[in-house]
Amino acid sequence: MIFYLTALFAGLLVVSNILAVKVFTVLGFDLPAAVIVYMATFLITDVIGEVYGKKMAARAIRAGFIAQLIVLFFIYIAVEVPPAPFFEMQTEYEMILGGSFQVIIASLVSYLVSQNLDVLIFHKLKERHGRRHLWLRNNFSAVITQFADTSIFIVIAFIGTVPPNILISMIFMQYIAKIIIVLLDTPIVYLLVGIARKQLDKERAMLMEVTEKVN
């Protein structure tokens, strides 16, 4: 199960970077199309940390970061290779996949800070409560880390290009939207944790059977 969760985590990170180009409006909130996909990555690291421990969650974060760097490298190559004479969408291709260096740096920095902060807060609460109050550490860690993630990304990505009052408005709107998503995904966290624990218990039981037979 841990392998599937880590693969899903890395895959969603890569997809979120591509989807982020589009901005949509819902109920007065202007949000990047990647917001739901990206928020799911925090859900997954919470599940990994809850079931498999802090070290495994940290490994997933490192794997996701490396995956992003590799994908960005290959996207850069794909954008820079000369287009065929009949390919007439090079400008659109660059616009969608290329992104700006400033936005890419903002994405990577906010990712590293917020994901590691999330794991830190989540496990501080778990050390205090054990298996109890999963909803508390899932939501409380998100309240802190999503503010950090949103603030870091928007400030680095748009500083110098939009007025300060617009920056504050963007941070506030995206932060509120992310917190709403976090509150809604709490049942999914419980569901995935339950599935992962059952799978882990089966794996441990099988390992004990094998060990007993060998002995």
Side-chain angles (χ1 to χ4, degrees), residues 105-126:
I105 292 299
S107 176
L108 293 175
V109 172
S110 62
Y111 164 80
L112 282 177
V113 172
S114 60
Q115 291 283 1
N116 282 289
L117 182 60
D118 183 71
V119 169
L120 176 64
I121 296 173
F122 186 92
H123 285 276
K124 284 291 183 182
L125 292 173
K126 188 176 182 183

Side-chain angles (χ1 to χ4, degrees), residues 4-168:
Y4 295 108
L5 288 171
T6 303
L8 181 61
F9 174 78
L12 290 178
L13 280 174
V14 171
V15 170
S16 69
N17 287 331
I18 297 172
L19 296 181
V21 176
K22 180 177 179 178
V23 177
F24 70 98
T25 301
V26 57
L27 300 176
F29 292 93
D30 297 321
L31 304 169
V35 64
I36 296 178
V37 174
Y38 183 63
M39 290 301 297
T41 63
F42 289 89
L43 179 157
I44 293 172
T45 50
D46 284 353
V47 173
I48 292 175
E50 178 70 18
V51 179
Y52 301 98
K54 183 178 180 180
K55 288 185 178 180
M56 292 303 294
R59 287 180 183 176
I61 293 171
R62 289 195 296 271
F65 183 74
I66 293 170
Q68 288 183 89
L69 291 179
I70 293 173
V71 169
L72 286 171
F73 171 75
F74 283 111
I75 287 177
Y76 173 79
I77 297 297
V79 169
E80 291 300 317
V81 292
F86 56 83
F87 185 72
E88 300 177 351
M89 294 185 292
Q90 178 65 19
T91 302
E92 293 83 354
Y93 191 81
E94 291 179 7
M95 186 180 301
I96 293 174
L97 293 181
S100 72
F101 179 75
Q102 190 171 346
V103 171
I104 291 171
I105 292 299
S107 176
L108 293 175
V109 172
S110 62
Y111 164 80
L112 282 177
V113 172
S114 60
Q115 291 283 1
N116 282 289
L117 182 60
D118 183 71
V119 169
L120 176 64
I121 296 173
F122 186 92
H123 285 276
K124 284 291 183 182
L125 292 173
K126 188 176 182 183
E127 288 172 6
R128 178 176 298 181
H129 300 133
R131 285 194 175 189
R132 296 177 295 114
H133 308 314
L134 172 58
W135 63 272
L136 176 62
R137 51 185 171 274
N138 173 59
N139 291 309
F140 183 78
S141 62
V143 168
I144 305 300
T145 57
Q146 290 313 312
F147 182 76
D149 179 78
T150 307
S151 300
I152 293 170
F153 175 78
I154 290 179
V155 169
I156 296 177
F158 301 105
I159 189 74
T161 62
V162 299
N165 62 313
I166 300 299
L167 281 179
I168 294 172

Side-chain angles (χ1 to χ4, degrees), residues 165-179:
N165 62 313
I166 300 299
L167 281 179
I168 294 172
S169 176
M170 291 170 65
I171 291 171
F172 176 76
M173 292 179 67
Q174 289 198 27
Y175 176 66
I176 295 300
K178 287 179 177 180
I179 294 305

